[in-house]
Amino acid sequence: MRLNENLMLIGDKVALVPYKAEHVPKYHEWMKSPFLQEMTASDPLTLEEEYEMQTSWHQDEEKLTFIIVSLPCDSTESLKGLTGPQIKEKTVMVGDVNIFLNDPDNDKTFGEIEVMVAEPDFRRTGRGKEALKILMGYCIQILGFKTFQAKISLSNEPSINLFKSQFGFYQVSISEVFEEVVLEWSILEPAPTKMDEYGNEIECYGSKATKEQREKVLQVKNELIRFWNENVKSSDYM
C-alpha cells in the first residue's frame, strides 16, 4: 500500500517500517522455514517471486504491510532516542505485521490482521504484542477501523492466546478443513438481523460477541488509543 510507503511508526520495543526491496532477502530466508510456512499457511517462493510479491504488495491498496524491526536484545539504547536514519542503521528485522482490507462489501473500517515474529530470540519478549498495539492504534486512530479479524492456525496456540487474552479477540468460527480459527474484535453495536436474497441470515461484525466480550473490546480500544497517543511517534522512512 502506497499509504505507508515512507512511514515509520516507533514504539518502545519495536518500530514498524514499510516493506521495501531491501528487506526481501532476509524475508526470503525466513520463509524457507517449514515451521513459519505452517504457522502462516504460506507456500515457499523463489527469491525472484519474493521480489515480485513485495512489489505487488507495495502497489496493492488493500494490503498494509510493515516489517517489525528492533534493537538487538543486548542493546542498551532506546528507540525513542534515535533518529530515523539511526533506527534504520542500528535495528534488525524480527518479523512483520499486516492488514488486509478484504471485506467482501468493501467495508474500509474492516481489516484482517496478522503478525509474525520470525526471529526465535525475539519471540515471547513482548515485541509481537507491541507491534499489534501500534498497528491497531494506527488503524483505529488514523484510518478509522472498527473491526479486525485474525485467521490463525489451530496449532499456533501462542498466537491464539495473544489475540484472545491481550487484545480481547473472540472466536467467531473454526475450520477443521483449513485447520484455522477466526477471531474477531469489533466496536460495532449488534445490528438487526439481515437476510440475503436466499433467506439466509447475514452475520454482522460484532454480532457474536457476548456482553462481557464487548466490554473487553471497548476497554482494549481505550488502552490502544492511550498507547498510540502517549507511546508512538511517526517518522519518515527513506
Side-chain angles (χ1 to χ4, degrees):
M1 181 180 285
R2 296 188 184 278
L3 177 68
N4 73 317
E5 64 181 349
N6 295 311
L7 175 66
M8 175 164 54
L9 302 175
I10 306 163
D12 298 319
K13 294 183 176 182
V14 301
L16 307 187
V17 304
Y19 184 30
K20 301 280 192 178
E22 66 201 59
H23 301 123
V24 171
K26 182 68 171 179
Y27 193 89
H28 179 63
E29 288 300 314
W30 285 344
M31 299 315 296
K32 290 179 180 179
S33 162
F35 172 75
L36 291 178
Q37 291 172 20
E38 178 183 356
M39 291 300 99
T40 60
S42 301
D43 296 320
L45 301 177
T46 66
L47 182 58
E48 182 180 0
E49 289 171 334
E50 208 75 74
Y51 275 109
E52 292 173 354
M53 181 72 74
Q54 182 274 327
T55 300
S56 171
W57 282 34
H58 173 234
Q59 297 172 346
D60 192 331
E61 294 305 314
E62 295 185 349
K63 292 183 174 66
L64 180 63
T65 302
F66 285 98
I67 294 294
I68 306 169
V69 300
S70 171
L71 289 165
C73 291
D74 59 356
S75 174
T76 58
E77 293 187 278
S78 166
L79 283 173
K80 295 290 182 61
L82 302 179
T83 64
Q86 287 175 325
I87 290 177
K88 187 174 182 179
E89 175 189 350
K90 296 186 177 186
T91 58
V92 295
M93 290 173 58
V94 301
D96 71 339
V97 62
N98 309 304
I99 288 280
F100 305 111
L101 284 76
N102 55 8
D103 176 77
D105 296 318
N106 202 32
D107 182 351
K108 296 302 184 183
T109 69
F110 168 90
E112 181 184 328
I113 190 168
E114 63 180 23
V115 63
M116 174 183 73
V117 178
E119 292 292 334
D121 289 347
F122 292 86
R123 294 178 190 149
R124 303 194 180 190
T125 62
R127 287 172 170 82
K129 176 182 177 181
E130 184 173 283
L132 285 172
K133 289 170 69 175
I134 294 172
L135 184 55
M136 290 179 70
Y138 174 72
C139 288
I140 292 168
Q141 288 293 84
I142 306 302
L143 303 183
F145 276 41
K146 297 179 180 178
T147 302
F148 298 92
Q149 284 189 355
K151 296 179 180 178
I152 307 173
S153 167
L154 291 173
S155 60
N156 194 348
E157 293 184 8
S159 185
I160 294 172
N161 182 62
L162 171 65
F163 278 89
K164 282 186 171 182
S165 66
Q166 300 298 315
F167 292 93
F169 278 68
Y170 46 87
Q171 181 176 315
V172 293
S173 67
I174 189 168
S175 172
E176 300 295 345
V177 175
F178 294 104
E179 298 183 335
E180 66 180 15
V181 61
V182 178
L183 307 179
E184 184 178 271
W185 185 103
S186 182
I187 60 173
L188 294 175
E189 291 293 331
T193 301
K194 298 180 180 179
M195 311 298 287
D196 64 18
E197 58 184 312
Y198 304 105
N200 300 312
E201 183 177 335
I202 300 174
E203 291 185 354
C204 300
Y205 297 134
S207 63
K208 289 194 173 182
T210 65
K211 178 182 177 182
E212 291 76 17
Q213 289 168 337
R214 196 175 311 283
E215 290 174 349
K216 175 66 174 178
V217 164
L218 293 177
Q219 175 191 334
V220 170
K221 175 196 171 188
N222 292 332
E223 293 172 354
L224 290 170
I225 291 174
R226 187 181 311 113
F227 182 82
W228 172 262
N229 291 333
E230 297 177 1
N231 296 78
V232 181
K233 70 174 185 178
S234 62
S235 179
D236 290 334
Y237 185 86
M238 307 301 290

